[in-house]
Amino acid sequence: KTPQTWQGKTFVITAGPTREAIDPVRYISNHSSGKMGYALAEAAAHAGANVILVSGPTQLATPAGVQRIDVETAEQMLNAVQQQLQQCDVFIGCAAVSDYRIAEIASQKIKKEQNDEPPQLKLVQNPDILQQVASSEKPPFTVGFAAETENLKANALRKLERKQLKMIVANDVSQTGLGFNSDSNNAIIFSQDSEQSLPTMSKHDMAVAIIDAIAKRYFDNTTP
Ligand code: C5P
């Protein structure tokens, strides 16, 4: 049996929301708290890995032993991730990246003018960080998340395929009290040929289970 240790291996994990400026005082974002990504960073560090956490704005403390890089926008997150790719063995995309950003950020605060039409915000698509990592020249073991409100399995498997992922953690965000901004979660972990259901548990316990599932696959497939 191959020794299964994360010692000397590096995880890069994205977490939290991104923030896309509209003007100097306003932005578009989402309700991601970053809890799941931070729990994953903590679990991976606890399992012995070097962990780099690329984080959007959150209220959370950096887990012990984790190197944190703070970013705001999706483009900054992509840049930060790309700078860490050389030394990355496992990439987990847990951030809720804004799919769109404002085409042209106003340099001054947008004013409410009397009798004027409301301003129209023009959006452009953000890069898909996860997909870019998975299709890079020497891709790390790449794990994605899929928050779905319907057709969980079909959508997760399609994402696994399309983004060329090794694993995807899918959760049903239509269930109240779970997922976004909550302390507990349930999920199904899919790979090409496996499916593992994780019942409702704390994000801490789920993070440990996900790092375990990654270890099983990673050490089976990459150690000679
Ligand atoms: O396609 P969808 O946004 O549902 O995919 C979710 C997964 O892709 C998550 O792992 C998320 O972190 C990642 N993602 C990303 N960059 C984007 C959009 C999503 O890394 N621009």
Side-chain angles (χ1 to χ4, degrees), residues 33 39 66 78 85 119 125 128 134 147 167 170 207 212 214-215:
S33 63
V66 168
L78 176 64
L85 270 192
Q125 197 153 12
D128 191 311
M167 284 174 67
D212 273 356
I214 295 173

Side-chain angles (χ1 to χ4, degrees), residues 14 74 77 91-99 126-131 143-148 159 162-163 165 168:
T14 65
M77 187 173 274
F91 177 79
I92 309 178
C94 194
V97 183
S98 179
D99 289 321
N126 266 328
D128 191 311
I129 300 166
L130 186 62
Q131 193 157 5
V143 182
F145 274 73
E148 304 291 344
K159 227 163 265 186
R162 180 164 51 85
K163 301 196 186 192
L165 310 176
I168 192 154

Side-chain angles (χ1 to χ4, degrees), residues 14-17 31-42 53 55-64 66 68 70 94 181-183 203:
T14 65
H31 287 295
S32 170
S33 63
K35 285 174 187 168
M36 192 66 237
Y38 277 60
L40 285 163
E42 182 174 35
L53 180 61
S55 177
T58 72
Q59 301 293 324
L60 304 173
T62 310
V66 168
R68 170 165 154 193
D70 286 319
C94 194
N181 217 348
S182 145
D183 287 320
K203 286 184 176 174

